[in-house]
Amino acid sequence: MISPWKLREAARYFHQGGIIAYPTEAVYGLGCDPLDGYAVERLLALKQRDVSKGVILIAADFAQLRPFITPLDDVLMAPVHASWPGPHTWLLPTAEHLPYWLCGDHETVAVRVTDHPVARALCRACNSPLVSTSANIAGRPPAVGAFSVRRVFGEEIDCVVNAPLGAEAQPSTIRDGRNGGWIRR
């Protein structure tokens, strides 16, 4: 697990617009405050990722995601809720006035209730979902450890949380909540 001190440090950087690297179910992620446009812009620049693609938000529970989405009817939301917490990302309709930097050119936003204990603890400590994108330069393999994150990004990352990855061999699945279709298996 992660020490309470490290959680407070990571949350402090989060609230100051910093970028945090942390373990997820399969790879290291880079995260920041999803409502801080400057932080998201900085993160995307580090990754060399186009803002038009959107980002994934991870949360400790569905309540943290609720302000960012427009829920679907109960029948469509049932498989979403049944898959969480877990390594399952869903594309759900955006909430009204969601910032462009979160959804890019899409009418949906990618969201997940993570089951990784450190990532969940970070979301709780920050009292917010986190932007969660793999810790890599776009098109390159993602980092699988804290050392790899520092080797790729150096001091550009404000806080690196050193903890084990989850047990998943691949990044999360991605499905479209509007029709159940698979985007990434």
Side-chain angles (χ1 to χ4, degrees):
M1 192 55 178
I2 182 174
S3 75
W5 177 86
K6 191 65 173 182
L7 272 177
R8 284 191 303 274
E9 177 189 42
R12 181 174 49 85
Y13 278 111
F14 172 91
H15 290 294
Q16 293 173 349
I19 297 174
I20 304 164
Y22 53 89
T24 68
E25 292 90 345
V27 299
Y28 254 73
L30 297 179
C32 64
D33 182 344
L35 296 178
D36 184 332
Y38 174 75
V40 176
E41 180 181 304
R42 187 173 150 230
L43 185 150
L44 294 175
L46 282 175
K47 282 188 55 83
Q48 300 171 24
R49 179 180 171 92
D50 191 328
V51 68
S52 67
K53 292 183 175 185
V55 294
I56 294 175
L57 301 180
I58 64 166
D61 53 50
F62 181 70
Q64 286 187 331
L65 295 173
R66 182 62 187 88
F68 296 85
I69 65 161
T70 299
L72 300 165
D73 66 43
D74 290 345
V75 171
L76 291 173
M77 287 300 293
V80 174
H81 290 299
S83 72
W84 287 342
H88 310 285
T89 298
W90 290 85
L91 304 179
L92 296 177
T94 63
E96 196 171 324
H97 308 300
L98 194 72
Y100 177 76
W101 60 78
L102 296 179
C103 57
D105 291 341
H106 309 282
E107 296 175 350
T108 58
V109 62
V111 293
R112 178 170 80 246
V113 175
T114 181
D115 67 348
H116 190 282
V118 172
R120 286 183 94 176
L122 280 170
C123 292
R124 285 190 182 108
C126 295
N127 197 29
S128 171
L130 300 174
V131 166
S132 186
T133 181
S134 57
N136 62 316
I137 304 295
R140 297 196 182 144
V144 293
F147 178 76
S148 299
V149 171
R150 283 289 185 209
R151 192 177 67 230
V152 172
F153 296 105
E155 297 302 313
E156 295 294 324
I157 304 301
D158 299 301
C159 180
V160 177
V161 176
N162 189 358
L165 295 175
E168 298 297 316
Q170 299 293 321
S172 71
T173 61
I174 301 177
R175 293 180 71 183
D176 190 326
R178 298 169 298 180
N179 57 29
W182 291 91
I183 309 301
R184 179 174 72 195
R185 288 186 186 254

